[in-house]
């Protein structure tokens, strides 16, 4: 995979969009609902599997370096020990799989993109909830 300037800018842009989505939250019991998952799936759909996953790896690295990019303004290495870290790990897989499904398709349509996102949202949530339950 070649990293052109366009590729790097797009990956960084979706890392920033995921950060913005972390601050737009709907209060729910235990784990808040944020717009992060929408931007994660969009990264996979619009950038493709590899670059979409790369954007989420970049997002996690930025957060682990200490910048407050995760939901609730969290950041730093200590977030690895929080029960919600599984949600962040699921972002990489979700972006990759959503992009891979559409890459295998010959024609892109709004309906196919919507179905791909609707199918992978529950799978993303299942992986995240499993990590959350194991951590508590």
């Amino acid at each position: 995979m070649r990293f052109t300037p366009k590729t790097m800018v797009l990956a960084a842009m979706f890392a920033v969009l995921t950060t913005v989505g972390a601050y737009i939250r709907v209060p729910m019991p235990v784990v808040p609902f944020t717009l992060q998952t929408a931007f994660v799936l969009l990264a996979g759909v619009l950038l493709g599997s590899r670059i979409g996953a790369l954007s989420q790896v970049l997002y996690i690295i930025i957060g682990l370096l200490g910048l407050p990019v995760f939901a609730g303004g969290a950041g730093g290495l200590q977030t690895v020990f929080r029960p919600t870290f599984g949600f962040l790990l699921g972002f990489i897989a979700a972006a990759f799989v959503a992009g891979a499904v559409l890459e295998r398709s010959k024609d892109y349509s709004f309906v196919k993109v919507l179905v791909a996102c609707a199918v992978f949202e529950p799978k993303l949530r299942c992986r995240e909830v499993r990590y959350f339950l194991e951590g508590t």
Side-chain angles (χ1 to χ4, degrees), residues 59-134:
Y59 168 70
I60 291 174
I61 289 172
I62 290 170
L64 291 176
L65 288 175
L67 293 174
V69 297
F70 300 141
L77 286 175
Q78 70 274 12
T79 56
V80 172
F81 301 108
R82 294 178 64 188
T84 55
F85 190 69
F87 289 87
L88 301 174
L89 294 178
F91 288 171
I92 299 168
F96 183 83
V97 173
V101 165
L102 288 178
E103 286 171 357
R104 296 199 194 304
S105 175
K106 297 295 180 202
D107 58 334
Y108 284 48
S109 68
F110 178 74
V111 174
K112 284 189 179 182
V113 170
L114 190 64
V115 168
C117 290
V119 166
F120 291 107
E121 175 70 22
K123 289 185 179 189
L124 176 64
R125 290 289 172 189
C126 289
R127 176 185 305 258
E128 296 164 351
V129 168
R130 189 175 130 221
Y131 185 91
F132 177 77
L133 291 176
E134 289 175 357

Side-chain angles (χ1 to χ4, degrees), residues 5-55:
K6 178 182 176 183
T7 301
M8 290 185 278
V9 167
L10 288 173
M13 182 181 75
F14 271 94
V16 170
L17 284 173
T18 306
T19 301
V20 170
Y23 286 96
I24 302 171
R25 50 190 293 169
V26 177
M28 300 288 263
V30 185
V31 178
F33 174 76
T34 64
L35 288 181
Q36 286 175 308
T37 54
F39 289 123
V40 167
L41 294 174
L42 274 176
V45 166
L46 296 177
L47 301 179
S49 59
R50 291 183 177 147
I51 306 302
L54 175 69
S55 71

